[in-house]
Amino acid sequence: MTTGRRLVVCASHSPGMERDTEKAQGREFRDGLARAREEVAAFDPELVVLFGGDHRRAFRHVVPAFGIALSAGVMAEAGHPAATLDVPGDIARAMSEHLLRSGIDVAVCRKIDLDHAFAQPLRDLLGGLDRTPVIPLPVNCATPPLPPAERALAFGRAAGTFLDGLTERVLVIGTGGLSHSPPSLEVDTFELADEERARLIAQGAEAARKKINPEWDAAFLEAVAAWDEPALTVLADEATERAGVGANEVRTWLAAGATGGAGLRTLRYQVVEEWITGMAVAAST
């Protein structure tokens, strides 16, 4: 939904995009990101609300279905140094109280270190981590049992009701997906060292390329454009079987889109085999 006060942008992310320093891969997707970034710049947000998943790095032993960070940073990754995010604690606290009153059992997090799921969209869409205050809203997309799609939609609706009461121009971001099945998430373990993670990914990369499902991606983007919640619910709840474990990250798209409850137009979609992912970016009209 784009009103005078809100813009919604959803985009895939991938560590492979960071490794491709020459930007030779995923050119169509990168073009879509550039278009989205132009729209974000024209909108000039005063606050970012970012629904992102976790790759079993920030949350390992205790994994909330939904979280809200009152303070947070991003971990050092892919050549980028660790950094602290500018989280407006008073607004985040007020949002957490609103969510709880609305029936969303959200976990409050402090001093949590997030990974590229949060850092990448801030860099790609805003040009840096420190450009705009941001409220991170982690969604469990990786560690079963996962929240059902309907709960992700309810999370987004409740957040949207809170945002309706703000005067700031708010950019809402959903990040992750579409179809992909990272080998590091196919194993059911919460104690995975970074070295072991890298080994699993390298060993399984060739097989993972064959797990991209453009047909599922197309159906999902069509449902997003129409904001067909029944279809989105089925697609998200069946994501593991039809589109790989990484496709569960589309719960962040459901939450972000539900803040406005209106369709998102696809700016670009591209299968990027080098990143083992169907990559898409969409924005509100």
Side-chain angles (χ1 to χ4, degrees):
M1 173 181 185
T2 300
T3 66
R5 315 305 301 180
R6 195 178 313 164
L7 171 66
V8 179
V9 176
C10 293
S12 305
H13 60 247
S14 171
M17 188 164 62
E18 302 275 1
R19 292 192 291 268
D20 178 25
T21 56
E22 296 183 359
K23 299 184 178 181
Q25 303 160 354
R27 290 181 176 175
E28 293 178 33
F29 172 72
R30 291 183 189 275
D31 178 65
L33 275 181
R35 288 179 57 189
R37 183 169 173 172
E38 290 175 357
E39 295 189 19
V40 169
F43 179 69
D44 191 22
E46 298 168 290
L47 174 67
V48 176
V49 170
L50 176 48
F51 294 93
D54 177 58
H55 303 97
R56 300 180 189 163
R57 305 182 75 185
F59 302 99
R60 297 192 183 191
H61 300 89
V62 177
V63 186
F66 306 115
I68 180 167
L70 304 190
S71 59
V74 296
M75 60 185 65
E77 191 178 16
H80 296 286
T84 300
L85 297 177
D86 178 11
V87 180
D90 55 342
I91 300 178
R93 175 63 181 268
M95 178 183 276
S96 70
E97 293 172 346
H98 171 84
L99 290 169
L100 288 166
R101 288 194 301 269
S102 301
I104 306 298
D105 294 325
V106 64
V108 172
C109 313
R110 294 181 176 85
K111 296 184 178 179
I112 192 75
D113 287 327
L114 303 164
D115 71 358
H116 63 274
F118 291 82
Q120 201 169 96
L122 293 175
R123 295 189 185 107
D124 291 339
L125 297 174
L126 291 122
L129 303 178
D130 58 353
R131 303 300 174 88
T132 309
V134 56
I135 299 176
L137 295 170
V139 178
N140 177 25
C141 301
T143 304
L146 304 180
E150 176 50 44
R151 292 304 294 163
L153 289 165
F155 183 30
R157 291 188 204 106
T161 301
F162 175 80
L163 297 179
D164 288 342
L166 299 183
T167 60
E168 292 88 351
R169 292 184 302 278
V170 181
L171 169 64
V172 179
I173 300 175
T175 172
L178 298 183
S179 65
H180 67 302
S181 198
S184 59
L185 294 184
E186 290 181 337
V187 295
D188 187 12
T189 178
F190 60 86
E191 290 290 357
L192 192 64
D194 287 346
E195 296 79 10
E196 178 68 6
R197 183 190 307 275
R199 185 187 67 80
L200 286 173
I201 292 173
Q203 287 183 343
E206 188 59 36
R209 292 184 181 209
K210 298 180 175 62
K211 296 177 182 178
I212 304 171
N213 186 338
E215 291 76 19
W216 185 90
D217 292 344
F220 180 78
L221 292 172
E222 181 179 350
V224 166
W227 201 248
D228 183 343
E229 292 192 359
L232 289 169
T233 298
V234 172
L235 287 161
D237 284 339
E238 296 179 353
T240 298
E241 294 77 16
R242 298 181 58 190
V245 293
N248 287 303
E249 291 174 342
V250 298
R251 284 165 170 77
T252 70
W253 289 53
L254 269 59
T259 64
L264 308 180
R265 59 203 155 87
T266 300
L267 300 180
R268 283 290 188 275
Y269 169 77
Q270 182 181 8
V271 171
V272 186
E273 291 193 356
E274 296 88 347
W275 304 345
I276 66 169
T277 305
M279 304 290 291
V281 56
S284 53
T285 55

